[in-house]
Amino acid sequence: MPTNDPTATADTGGAGREPYLPPATQPVRAVVWTLHLALPLLGLWLLLANPHINVEWHHNPSHFWLIILVAGINVVLGAMIGQASARRSDARLLLVSLVFLSSAGFFFMHGLATPQIILPNGSYGFDLSQPVGLFIASGFALASALPLNERAASAVLRNQAWLRGGLALVLVVWGVLSLVPGLTPLSSKPPALGAGLGGAELIGLVLYGVAAVMLFRIHRRRPAAMLISMITAYALLAEAMLAGMYHRNWHLSWWLWHLLLTFAFVFVAYGAHIQSRREGSTAGLFDSIALAATVRRIRADYERALEELVGHLRRSADSRVPVATRLAGKFGLTEAQAAVLDRAGEALANERELSERLGALVELGNRARVGLPENELLVQSLERARQAYGDVRIALVSDGTVSMGSAEYREGDFPASGPVRSGDAVVHPLTVKGRLAGALRVPVGRTPQDDALAATLAGQMSIALENARLYQELETLFRQYMSPDVAKSLLADPRTAELGGELVELTALFADLKGFTSFSERVAPAEIVEMLNRYHSAAVPIILGNGGTIVQFVGDALLALFNAPARQADHAAAAARAALAMQEAAEKIVATSPGYPRFRIGINTGPAVVGNIGSPQLRGFNAMGDCVNVAARLEGIAEPGTVVIGQTTLDLIGPRAQARSLGDLSLKGKENPVHAYVLSALM
């Protein structure tokens, strides 16, 4: 595939980043390039400022063959770029081809008008042919450098027949008028200093200069050698227009603009020759000059071709030649390039395979950390592994044996915990705490890294299986003895178990059973335990369901926190909802067991220090602060079956609360009275 793939010329600059500049536009080479363009102008100035060195050299054959040679080069370049335009359906390439064809046509007319070839003497046509051709070409040059949108590009392509036909007609008419003796003034002898186009030559110079600058801006976005060649050619053509304005026929300054024209077109031809030799093909030679939309389309074609090749290589390694041949024909590749593409495609397929498998390993590692149930983890992991590795199979140990199809494996069947070969696959042991827990069968042989990747997959699956079982054990243990939020915090970061705390605004909920002591005196201990379990079995899900964290069970009492350790935006209302729901559940219990005591609940909101309190040997998660003490006091004054809340809690809940004021209360341990309310409902 040609190395002039437009993907290599994509804009690599982002926000705040300078685009990459190839060697032709790096600082030192840019200076050399500028000097090359400045030297001809310096030579022109020296010749015009020193007439004694601006000597006349009149040699018609040399002039004729120079012109014919350069015109021929232009015709070839114009035809090649025209073919590229047709192949890519690109308006810019069409306009560039017209630059070369128009200058070639009029250059050829200028050569035919050389004295003593067709006409015996010089003529207006001889003097004007090349300036006219360069002026027409300058218009095409400017148009080719414009950032044509889709509508303008389509209009140019629709009218390409008129553009080419019109140019051909102008050349034919010009040839007849300037080469038939005596037909028009164009075939007559001009003044001694020759004829010119006046201001049109200056306009042409400006158009070439603007076109060169605009092409350089394109080059900054997507650097390419052919763009540099075109920029240099347009700059030299602008200098040729300037040199030709002096019309000192057959003097060295007159020959100078012929040489500038020659250098301009030979520079492009030489650049194309070098690039085609390096790539071994002319396909894609002028793609870098094309419009941005065409470059994107070409890039998409290459991407689709590579995807097609990679997909074909992955499906069948024995039938690659037809695909390589088809791609070679599509992109104009040589046999050697098709072979390189074939090897590159195979390498890309292997790399894609490796990337997919590494991606699968990353996903499996992530899933091993989320605490999924074992069966769900294995199903999801196996599905993902099969997408990347093929027909992967897994089986767990039962009675010390792993049954996988007709084969059975025991711990001693895996030497040094290594794999066992099974046809075109390897079977790796899965271990948990160093003991055989299962086996994993992975296909191998498609890529050189298969064995290593299979071992890595087996290791990852062993880790996932062990984590799932360990997580289940810890979760079961923790959740039975502490709030889920505290358990999650400890599992995620064991450092949260360290002694200490932080100041947090929270809502504390205290609840106990009024009459519990007298009830305990009347009944047997087993009935006390049954009663407490019934109440707590009803209360705990309600508190947890509203985002609360239960931090204490003390006999018949419990303390729950809201907004700690897990944060809640509406923690006061959440605590209120939980308290009302607890009373409703307690009423249902009392209705079936009339002698049972009833809940009384106190709620208060304020700042408190939350964290682990205790000693290095034994600690517990709790909250300390005045707001917690007040909640306990409000619970103590509450009547059975009611919920008493503090002023701060009511303020946070707002008008949603239906509450009856109890006035200012003097609470034990409080110097100032506390205003409290009986909460009856929450809207």
Side-chain angles (χ1 to χ4, degrees), residues 519-597:
F519 176 82
S520 300
E521 293 175 349
R522 298 193 309 267
V523 301
E527 192 173 347
I528 298 173
V529 173
E530 180 185 356
M531 180 268 295
L532 288 176
N533 287 341
R534 288 183 65 185
Y535 274 125
H536 289 329
S537 295
V540 169
I542 292 173
I543 293 172
L544 298 182
N546 284 279
T549 297
I550 299 173
V551 296
Q552 281 185 10
F553 283 109
V554 181
D556 64 317
L558 66 83
L559 168 61
L561 306 179
F562 293 80
N563 202 40
R567 298 293 180 258
Q568 293 173 274
D570 201 11
H571 53 89
R577 281 193 300 271
L580 293 173
M582 286 171 61
Q583 293 291 23
E584 184 179 349
E587 289 299 323
K588 293 179 181 179
I589 294 174
V590 172
T592 60
S593 303
Y596 275 14

Side-chain angles (χ1 to χ4, degrees), residues 266-291:
V266 170
F267 191 89
V268 176
Y270 180 73
H273 171 69
I274 293 299
Q275 185 165 317
S276 64
R277 282 191 59 187
R278 183 174 64 247
E279 298 176 357
S281 172
T282 58
L285 192 60
F286 301 101
D287 287 348
S288 58
I289 304 173
L291 293 169

Side-chain angles (χ1 to χ4, degrees), residues 361-377:
L361 289 173
V362 171
E363 288 189 36
L364 293 177
N366 291 334
R367 288 175 181 172
R369 295 196 300 267
V370 299
L372 291 174
E374 181 179 318
N375 289 339
E376 185 178 351
L377 173 67

Side-chain angles (χ1 to χ4, degrees), residues 368 371-374 377 463-473:
L372 291 174
E374 181 179 318
L377 173 67
I463 293 172
L465 185 61
E466 184 165 358
N467 283 353
R469 294 181 178 181
L470 179 61
Y471 189 92
Q472 186 63 40
E473 292 175 6

